[in-house]
Amino acid sequence: MKSFTASTDPVYLAPTQPSGLDQFFGRYVQDVRDLPFIYLTLKISATLLPLAVLLFVPALTGGAWWAVLAVYLFLGNLRFKGPFGLMLHCTSHRVLFKKKYGFLNNYIPWVIGPLFGQTPETYFTHHLGMHHPENNLPDDDSSTMFYQRDSLRGFLHYLSSFFLLGIPRLVQYFTRRNKPKLRHRLLRGELVYIGATIVLAFVNLPATLAVLVLPVILSRVVMMLGNWAQHAFIDAAAPDNCYTNSITCINTNYNHKCWNDGYHISHHLKPALHWTDHPHHFRQNLAEYTRQDAIVFDGIHFLHIFLYLMTKRYDRLAHHFVNLGDRDRSTQEVVALLRARTQRIPRTAYVAQLA
């Protein structure tokens, strides 16, 4: 166990002398704290986008093609994937560009998003149109409630269900909730992506598989893995409580690389809270986190949590568990708490609870 002492996660510090580039791009963005997103977008556009185009060039063959592919996969999956995914997350909740330049907000989801397997509009419609309103409860098709959350078999069932039925169920959800605009955006993005993939497959099948097909598979596995870990610990007595159906990860390099994504409790409490404000919000509301018996980990992130759950290393989870309020708890008591919160919640029990 650990005691909470200080936070090392990133916060915004206004530069005393903004650079010329900061001043130039600052005129276009809604919030100057999001300038890192501009520079990340420029890096991706200057590297990954040309490489993707190059893979389709007929003159590039043999070893040269495979070399370009290796660089492309390295940049797309090891260098940029995490930061891009969470930039997409942040800019879905808070648009990047001012209304005057609103058309530029399409660049991330429609131009560079597909390079990371993000079909246009799908992330936005799923995440803001369903996941947040339903808050991991049964009508959230990505809900983890009804699975044993330290079970690999449970996760594979969860993952396969999303792959096979995720989009159709999301369409049904928007129809049921009378959200035709979101349904239209979802279907438009999916159909354009599928159409482009089919057309390009006739142009260059290997390049299409590398640029448009493989990234979709990887991104959806990673997103479901992340959501599983974020909502792995649920208090069955209050599954709608953001403090006890989500977790927070502090003091990890992941938060520096991926825009404080570890603060999932505060993100569900205040979805539009700026990514640089989460450490302050956590410190400011520490007493409430303690009162609610929220689960906070120090020094690990969601991938660690997923791996520890799949291997049932509750001892490692307990080691990184933050003992909020310095309660008199033993390691065994912490392990018992964590195990209790990963138990599958039967649908019958949840329905009975509502009655």
Side-chain angles (χ1 to χ4, degrees):
M1 281 186 294
K2 297 186 177 183
S3 296
F4 176 71
T5 53
S7 172
T8 61
D9 295 321
V11 295
Y12 179 70
L13 297 174
T16 53
Q17 292 185 326
S19 68
L21 281 177
D22 283 353
Q23 294 178 55
F24 174 77
F25 289 120
R27 298 198 297 264
Y28 295 90
V29 296
Q30 289 270 28
D31 192 323
V32 294
R33 294 177 295 178
D34 290 329
L35 283 173
F37 297 158
I38 295 291
Y39 298 126
L40 175 60
T41 299
L42 290 174
K43 290 176 184 177
I44 292 170
S45 301
T47 56
L48 207 61
L49 191 57
L51 289 170
V53 173
L54 192 57
L55 288 169
F56 283 92
V57 173
L60 187 71
T61 59
W65 190 90
W66 287 102
V68 171
L69 176 63
V71 176
Y72 179 82
L73 293 176
F74 171 79
L75 291 176
N77 292 287
L78 298 179
R79 177 67 180 86
F80 293 133
K81 194 174 194 66
F84 171 82
L86 279 308
M87 174 176 69
L88 177 64
H89 176 237
C90 292
T91 55
S92 295
H93 281 280
R94 298 168 59 98
V95 294
L96 181 56
F97 294 99
K98 293 176 180 177
K99 187 176 182 179
K100 182 179 179 180
Y101 312 105
F103 67 95
L104 293 173
N105 289 313
N106 293 313
Y107 185 78
I108 290 175
W110 279 91
V111 178
I112 60 175
L115 303 180
F116 296 93
Q118 297 291 350
T119 51
E121 309 285 3
T122 302
Y123 181 84
F124 177 89
T125 55
H126 176 277
H127 190 72
L128 275 79
M130 182 179 69
H131 179 61
H132 274 281
E134 301 301 340
N135 191 29
N136 200 54
L137 293 175
D139 284 340
D140 180 355
D141 191 44
S142 55
S143 174
T144 59
M145 283 179 60
F146 303 128
Y147 296 91
Q148 179 67 30
R149 294 174 297 280
D150 62 357
S151 163
L152 179 58
R153 182 180 178 181
F155 175 72
L156 292 176
H157 181 199
Y158 174 77
L159 181 63
S160 60
S161 176
F162 178 80
F163 262 106
L164 296 174
L165 301 172
I167 300 301
R169 284 177 177 170
L170 188 54
V171 171
Q172 291 176 348
Y173 172 83
F174 290 142
T175 301
R176 190 168 65 251
R177 294 295 196 199
N178 193 27
K179 296 180 177 181
K181 290 184 179 179
L182 287 174
R183 182 181 59 201
H184 172 74
R185 289 179 65 174
L186 167 68
L187 290 173
R188 179 183 61 183
E190 287 289 316
L191 292 175
V192 168
Y193 195 90
I194 292 170
T197 301
I198 293 172
V199 170
L200 290 172
F202 285 100
V203 176
N204 188 324
L205 180 58
T208 302
L209 292 174
V211 174
L212 293 177
V213 178
L214 179 62
V216 168
I217 297 170
L218 291 176
S219 70
R220 293 189 177 180
V221 169
V222 169
M223 287 190 296
M224 288 298 96
L225 186 154
N227 192 71
W228 181 274
Q230 290 162 348
H231 296 285
F233 301 93
I234 305 172
D235 183 354
D240 60 336
N241 183 346
C242 296
Y243 286 99
T244 55
N245 73 6
S246 301
I247 62 171
T248 289
C249 297
I250 63 173
N251 298 338
T252 166
N253 289 335
Y254 173 73
N255 285 338
H256 290 264
K257 186 177 181 180
C258 295
W259 326 111
N260 279 330
D261 184 53
Y263 289 85
H264 206 66
I265 291 174
S266 53
H267 176 60
H268 270 269
L269 291 170
K270 291 189 172 184
L273 187 67
H274 195 269
W275 63 272
T276 60
D277 289 333
H278 284 286
H280 174 69
H281 181 275
F282 174 67
R283 291 192 300 270
Q284 192 177 38
N285 295 277
L286 197 57
E288 186 62 17
Y289 277 73
T290 304
R291 190 184 74 81
Q292 296 276 2
D293 212 7
I295 290 180
V296 178
F297 295 105
D298 184 316
I300 57 175
H301 56 74
F302 301 128
L303 178 58
H304 296 111
I305 291 166
F306 177 81
L307 293 175
Y308 290 153
L309 285 173
M310 293 303 101
T311 55
K312 294 182 172 53
R313 290 298 306 270
Y314 282 96
D315 58 326
R316 297 304 303 158
L317 290 167
H319 174 73
H320 292 278
F321 178 86
V322 179
N323 188 22
L324 299 175
D326 290 324
R327 297 179 180 181
D328 185 17
R329 276 175 166 164
S330 67
T331 300
Q332 291 73 20
E333 288 172 325
V334 171
V335 168
L337 170 67
L338 296 176
R339 285 186 180 277
R341 296 238 183 133
T342 60
Q343 299 304 301
R344 184 177 70 85
I345 302 172
R347 289 182 184 271
T348 52
Y350 178 72
V351 172
Q353 182 179 322
L354 295 178

